[in-house]
Amino acid sequence: MLSTEALKIPQPEYALGSILVVEDEDTIRETIGLALEEEGYDVLLAEDGYSALSIAHRSIPIDLIVLDIMLPYINGLDFCRMLRHEGNNVPVIMLSAKGSESDRIVGLEVGADDYLTKPFGMGELVARCRALMRRCRFDTQLQGNILRFGDIIMYPHECRVLVRGEEINLSPKEFRILELFMGHPRRVWSREQLLEKIWGTDFVGDSKTVDVHIRWLREKLESDPSEPKYLLTVRGFGYRLG
Ligand code: CA
């Protein structure tokens, strides 16, 4: 007789990465989620474009998005456009009930990396996720994780930053703030979010600390710190890059 132990699906000891599944049809969303979880991925689920966007804007790292085109509120094509506009390069596999060539082309044009037509087998979806993730990780390794924005080039692993070709010296806090901004161009960060991410939740102090560091960063990055081109103030909200 088989023990229950023998029936357990072997799980990898570490997660292979996290995948956000955006699909409004409950059965499909849950089936995809389970199939990916069984493969060892961490899975996040969203049932419409709005919740997907709010998950993408939280600072949980997402390694891949499985995205249905027909969604309530914000459809998959617009959602993908928004991500790319914000400089978010997370790999996207688009799902569509329509199999026409033009849908596929539009999907790829708005920045999807792969495209799958319903109905599809879970085996195929899982294989594509695995392949796309591997490809993107390889690309990132090849580029050595260099972050670029305008005239700013950042080498996170070497803790080096070049601005208009000249190396600049940043304090560890300034470096981490800039790295956060460079990783999410055009995303608005509130002072509270920056405090939490850079200083940690147990930091006791006020949000003026953030303003001071932004001012120091501007002095190092901007040609004219009083007319910033990179670190912009978004009144009533916080700061963004570009
Ligand atoms: Ca749908």
Side-chain angles (χ1 to χ4, degrees), residues 25-97:
E25 285 167 65
D26 298 345
T27 327
I28 304 182
R29 185 180 61 250
E30 275 151 29
T31 313
I32 296 177
L34 280 175
L36 293 171
E37 256 172 17
E38 278 181 9
E39 283 296 302
Y41 295 105
D42 280 333
V43 176
L44 296 150
L45 302 174
E47 56 191 33
D48 60 65
Y50 271 133
S51 16
L53 205 59
S54 77
I55 292 177
H57 283 171
R58 275 193 257 148
S59 15
I60 317 164
I62 295 170
D63 300 293
L64 187 138
I65 301 181
V66 176
L67 179 64
D68 188 32
I69 290 189
M70 303 291 277
L71 291 169
Y73 311 123
I74 304 174
N75 70 41
L77 295 173
D78 288 338
F79 173 71
C80 195
R81 260 189 215 110
M82 286 175 187
L83 283 182
R84 298 310 186 221
H85 181 73
E86 291 170 355
N88 189 332
N89 291 324
V90 60
V92 171
I93 297 183
M94 221 166 237
L95 307 179
S96 170

Side-chain angles (χ1 to χ4, degrees), residues 174 207-218 239:
E174 290 163 354
S207 54
K208 290 275 185 300
T209 311
V210 173
D211 300 335
V212 171
H213 279 77
I214 295 285
R215 199 176 69 227
W216 290 340
L217 263 174
R218 279 178 177 155
Y239 297 103

Side-chain angles (χ1 to χ4, degrees), residues 21 38 103 111 124 149 166 173 203 212 231 240:
V21 179
E38 278 181 9
D103 277 330
E124 177 166 17
F149 190 88
E166 302 267 333
K173 288 261 185 316
F203 174 77
V212 171
L231 287 178
R240 70 161 206 243

Side-chain angles (χ1 to χ4, degrees), residues 1-175:
M1 202 172 101
L2 279 173
S3 71
T4 46
E5 206 48 38
L7 290 170
K8 270 192 191 161
I9 300 162
Q11 296 287 335
E13 284 174 11
Y14 57 93
L16 300 172
S18 56
I19 302 186
L20 169 63
V21 179
V22 195
E23 161 67 85
D24 57 325
E25 285 167 65
D26 298 345
T27 327
I28 304 182
R29 185 180 61 250
E30 275 151 29
T31 313
I32 296 177
L34 280 175
L36 293 171
E37 256 172 17
E38 278 181 9
E39 283 296 302
Y41 295 105
D42 280 333
V43 176
L44 296 150
L45 302 174
E47 56 191 33
D48 60 65
Y50 271 133
S51 16
L53 205 59
S54 77
I55 292 177
H57 283 171
R58 275 193 257 148
S59 15
I60 317 164
I62 295 170
D63 300 293
L64 187 138
I65 301 181
V66 176
L67 179 64
D68 188 32
I69 290 189
M70 303 291 277
L71 291 169
Y73 311 123
I74 304 174
N75 70 41
L77 295 173
D78 288 338
F79 173 71
C80 195
R81 260 189 215 110
M82 286 175 187
L83 283 182
R84 298 310 186 221
H85 181 73
E86 291 170 355
N88 189 332
N89 291 324
V90 60
V92 171
I93 297 183
M94 221 166 237
L95 307 179
S96 170
K98 309 167 186 173
S100 78
E101 185 70 4
S102 65
D103 277 330
R104 189 186 159 81
I105 292 168
V106 174
L108 297 174
E109 268 176 5
V110 298
D113 302 273
D114 201 355
Y115 192 99
L116 209 51
T117 306
K118 291 179 186 171
F120 51 82
M122 286 304 136
E124 177 166 17
L125 177 67
V126 168
R128 296 239 197 156
C129 288
R130 208 185 293 134
L132 184 56
M133 242 186 218
R134 201 166 41 220
R135 201 166 82 212
C136 292
R137 288 218 168 116
F138 183 67
D139 286 352
T140 315
Q141 278 166 9
L142 275 186
Q143 292 163 12
N145 283 326
I146 300 172
L147 300 171
R148 287 171 195 273
F149 190 88
D151 292 332
I152 310 173
I153 304 175
M154 186 168 216
Y155 302 88
H157 295 306
E158 298 170 32
C159 297
R160 288 172 63 221
V161 180
L162 301 183
V163 179
R164 291 172 288 278
E166 302 267 333
E167 188 154 351
I168 57 163
N169 286 316
L170 297 179
S171 73
K173 288 261 185 316
E174 290 163 354
F175 189 88

